[in-house]
Amino acid sequence: MISITAYGGVDHIGGNKILLEDGDSRIFLDFGEPFNMKDEYFVDWLLPRESRTGLKDYFFFDLMPQIKGVYGEKWLEDTDLKYSKPEFDAIFISHMHFDHAMHLRFVDDKIPVYLGAAADAIRRSWQETSGAFVNFGKHEFKTFRTGSKIKVGSLEVEPIHVDHSVPGAYGFLVHTSAGCVVYTGDLRLHGPRSDMTREFVKRAAEEKPIALICEGTRVSPEDPREDLSEKQVEDRARKLVAGSKKLAIVSFYPKDVDRMRTYRDVAEATGRKFVVSTKVAHLLESLKDDSRISVPDPMTDPNMLVYVRQGMSRPLPFDNRYQEMLGSKNSHVVCCDDIAKHQEQFIFQTDIMQLTELIDILPSPGSLFIRSKSEPFEEDDVQEEILQNWIKRFNLDFHQAHASGHANKEEIFDIIRRIDPKVVVPVHTEHADLFKKCGRAVKRPVARESISLSK
Ligand SMILES: [Zn+2]
C-alpha cells in the first residue's frame, strides 16, 4: 500500500506540494507557492512577517500545512509546531516556476532537493538577480537529466523531460512497491518541443501506472483565451513589427526562453535588434553552457542587445557588470538614449516592473506594445488596469500574442487516455470535476487527505 497526499495544488492552479509515501520512504513532488495564497488576508505592504516570526502568520491563517519534520528550525521558533528532525527523504522539483518551487525556503536545509540541470541554472540566476527577494534555501541541490534514475529508500524516481514554458521541465515516473505513479508536472503539446512531452507520455504508458497525478490548468468549461502555438505567436509578432515604423515594445514572462528565441527571430526577420533586460541576459548566459538547450546569447548574437538602466543607484551587482561594459562602449550594451534616438530599429523587452523605463525612452505615439503573456484571469486584475493606463498615457498600439505553457483540455484528456492509468488524480486545476469526462477512473483529491493505492 502506498499513499498520495496533496498539501497544495488542490482546486486551484499552482502551489503543488504532493507527498508520496511508500512504507518509510517519503518524498514531496514540488513545493510551490499558490498564486492566490496571500490574497485573502494580505495586500500591498501588509505581508506575513516571515523574516521576524517565520511561519507564525502563515499557520495562523492556515495558509501552510503544519507538517512535522519538514520545515527548518528558524521558521518554527515563534509557532506552536515544535521542530523535529527531517522526516522526509527528498523533494523533487518538476520545474522552476514560482508555483512549484517558491516554498523551498521554508523546508529544512537538511532535506535534499532534486531538480533538472537547467532548472538548477535558472534557480541560481533567479536568486542572483533578485537580491534578498528570492530565496530557495541552502539545501543540497542535486541535478538530474532524462535517463537518470534516483533511488530514495524503496522508491525510484525517473525524471523525463516535457515541453513547458520554461527550460528544464520534467514529469516523473515514480516506481513504488505497488507499481508506477506518474506525475505530469506542467506540460504542453503545442510548443516547440512537443516531441519531449510525447516521449514522456510514451514512457509513462509503458509502465502501466497505478496512478497519474495530472495537471489541469486549462481544463475548464470554457477557455476564452486564444490558443496559439509558438509559431503563430512568431507569425503575428513578425507581421505587427514589420508593419510598424516605430518602437516595438514586448512583454513576456522573464523565464520563457522559447519566447526570447521567437523575438530574436522576429528581430532578424524585420531587420531590428531585440533588446533584453540585464535579468534576461543573465538567465540566457546561465543556460548557454547547456548543450541540450539552444539559447541565443545577447552579448554576441548580431540581432540582440542588452539594456542597462540609468540612474543614481544600481544596487544589483549583475546590473553593474553590464553598466561597466556600457562604459567601455561594448557594442552589445545600450541605454535609454540609444533606444530613444532610433526607436524604429528596436524591439524592446519590458515587464511591468520596468515600465518606468518608458519615461526615459519616450516611445513616439502609436508605438507597438505586444503583450506576449497570458491574458489576465480576472476582470478586475489590478496590474492589468495599471498596464492599460500606461498604454493610454503613451498612446501605444496594444496587441496580444501568446502561446500557453499548458496543454488544453482535449490534449490533457488525450494524454490521460494514452497513459491509461488505473486512476487519475487531478491537481493544479480549478475544475477537477471536469476530469470525469476524461474516460478513465478519477480520484479527486481533498487537500491534506491521503489517497491510498495498492497494486
Ligand atoms: Zn509551470
Side-chain angles (χ1 to χ4, degrees):
M1 191 88 105
I2 63 153
S3 72
I4 296 170
T5 315
Y7 284 98
V10 177
D11 295 325
H12 56 243
I13 293 168
N16 290 18
K17 291 185 184 81
I18 300 160
L19 175 63
L20 185 57
E21 293 172 281
D22 184 1
D24 290 343
S25 306
R26 310 168 90 194
I27 60 168
F28 270 101
L29 304 172
D30 287 331
F31 216 82
E33 175 168 339
F35 290 118
N36 60 357
M37 177 178 199
K38 296 174 191 143
D39 289 4
E40 211 175 335
Y41 300 103
F42 299 101
V43 65
D44 299 333
W45 294 102
L46 175 62
L47 289 168
R49 302 163 296 172
E50 65 176 68
S51 61
R52 287 191 285 137
T53 60
L55 283 164
K56 183 179 185 178
D57 301 357
Y58 290 96
F59 286 168
F60 182 82
F61 290 114
D62 201 23
L63 300 176
M64 292 283 279
Q66 300 197 30
I67 312 170
K68 216 170 122 251
V70 70
Y71 301 116
E73 195 166 4
K74 69 167 179 175
W75 301 107
L76 297 178
E77 274 166 15
D78 281 321
T79 75
D80 295 332
L81 183 67
K82 255 186 77 194
Y83 174 77
S84 52
K85 286 204 181 87
E87 295 180 19
F88 300 87
D89 299 291
I91 300 199
F92 285 79
I93 297 295
S94 62
H95 62 285
M96 277 312 282
H97 270 162
F98 183 91
D99 57 324
H100 291 255
M102 201 42 106
H103 277 169
L104 279 178
R105 68 179 180 280
F106 296 127
V107 174
D108 198 322
D109 287 335
K110 294 187 198 85
I111 300 176
V113 175
Y114 291 85
L115 75 179
D120 196 46
I122 293 168
R123 173 188 70 81
R124 280 179 275 120
S125 173
W126 194 347
Q127 199 145 2
E128 210 177 305
T129 57
S130 303
F133 296 107
V134 167
N135 165 21
F136 297 105
K138 293 190 171 66
H139 308 271
E140 184 185 357
F141 289 97
K142 303 185 180 198
T143 62
F144 55 66
R145 289 188 182 276
T146 299
S148 303
K149 286 185 179 162
I150 302 136
K151 196 114 181 80
V152 181
S154 59
L155 301 168
E156 188 179 65
V157 182
E158 201 182 330
I160 300 184
H161 52 206
V162 294
D163 190 32
H164 184 42
S165 49
V166 65
Y170 288 81
F172 297 121
L173 312 186
V174 188
H175 303 283
T176 77
S177 60
C180 181
V181 173
V182 177
Y183 174 52
T184 60
D186 286 353
L187 44 66
R188 63 180 173 187
L189 279 165
H190 58 279
R193 290 307 308 271
S194 59
D195 58 310
M196 299 200 299
T197 303
R198 287 180 209 288
E199 207 180 308
F200 164 74
V201 171
K202 187 165 163 278
R203 265 298 291 129
E206 283 165 11
E207 292 298 325
K208 305 205 180 317
I210 54 165
L212 170 64
I213 306 167
C214 187
E215 77 121 320
T217 312
R218 291 173 69 198
V219 174
S220 63
E222 52 191 45
D223 192 351
R225 291 177 290 176
E226 264 190 317
D227 197 3
L228 299 184
S229 68
E230 194 63 34
K231 184 82 188 73
Q232 288 169 315
V233 170
E234 184 183 334
D235 290 345
R236 181 178 296 175
R238 192 178 356 91
K239 275 190 202 117
L240 286 168
V241 175
S244 169
K245 292 195 166 41
K246 301 186 173 190
L247 181 64
I249 305 162
V250 296
S251 81
F252 51 77
Y253 291 115
K255 288 170 188 63
D256 191 341
V257 171
D258 294 323
R259 200 55 47 81
M260 297 171 200
R261 231 181 272 123
T262 293
Y263 278 105
R264 192 216 72 97
D265 293 348
V266 171
E268 186 176 20
T270 56
R272 294 192 185 215
K273 305 273 188 206
F274 176 36
V275 184
V276 298
S277 67
T278 48
K279 222 173 192 174
V280 163
H282 189 282
L283 177 72
L284 291 173
E285 215 176 287
S286 307
L287 289 168
K288 78 177 179 201
D289 293 333
D290 193 325
S291 59
R292 302 193 196 191
I293 307 167
S294 88
V295 292
D297 178 1
M299 294 306 286
T300 55
D301 191 305
N303 308 293
M304 288 182 79
L305 298 168
V306 179
Y307 180 81
V308 176
R309 287 172 286 181
Q310 303 290 288
M312 275 156 48
S313 69
R314 282 174 293 278
L316 295 172
F318 73 96
D319 234 1
N320 268 338
R321 185 164 55 131
Y322 293 102
Q323 186 72 33
E324 276 163 26
M325 291 179 187
L326 187 67
S328 62
K329 290 260 180 297
N330 184 299
S331 60
H332 274 267
V333 179
V334 286
C335 64
C336 54
D337 296 338
D338 305 312
I339 311 280
K341 265 185 250 156
H342 308 285
Q343 301 197 4
E344 72 293 347
Q345 295 177 10
F346 301 106
I347 298 173
F348 179 70
Q349 175 252 329
T350 185
D351 63 30
I352 188 115
M353 312 299 278
Q354 284 209 4
L355 281 176
T356 40
E357 295 307 305
L358 299 186
I359 299 168
D360 297 336
I361 292 171
L362 289 173
S364 61
S367 291
L368 267 183
F369 187 101
I370 309 175
R371 178 173 59 201
S372 238
K373 54 189 193 182
S374 55
E375 296 157 66
F377 283 86
E378 328 247 334
E379 270 167 36
D380 58 352
D381 190 293
V382 180
Q383 281 202 8
E384 175 66 8
E385 197 183 318
I386 287 172
L387 173 66
Q388 292 303 334
N389 288 342
W390 282 74
I391 303 280
K392 258 186 241 137
R393 176 64 182 74
F394 285 98
N395 217 333
L396 304 175
D397 180 19
F398 180 81
H399 295 268
Q400 169 78 21
H402 179 59
S404 170
H406 304 274
N408 65 30
K409 183 167 74 183
E410 285 68 36
E411 289 164 335
I412 288 289
F413 289 180
D414 184 52
I415 287 170
I416 291 171
R417 285 189 286 264
R418 281 172 197 276
I419 295 179
D420 195 21
K422 261 167 92 177
V423 66
V424 180
V425 180
V427 295
H428 205 282
T429 182
E430 289 174 345
H431 299 282
D433 52 316
L434 290 183
F435 275 74
K436 61 178 180 261
K437 294 187 182 146
C438 76
R440 293 297 177 275
V442 176
K443 179 76 196 158
R444 193 175 165 176
V446 175
R448 307 178 191 185
E449 283 184 20
S450 300
I451 298 171
S452 296
L453 297 165
S454 52
K455 261 184 205 163

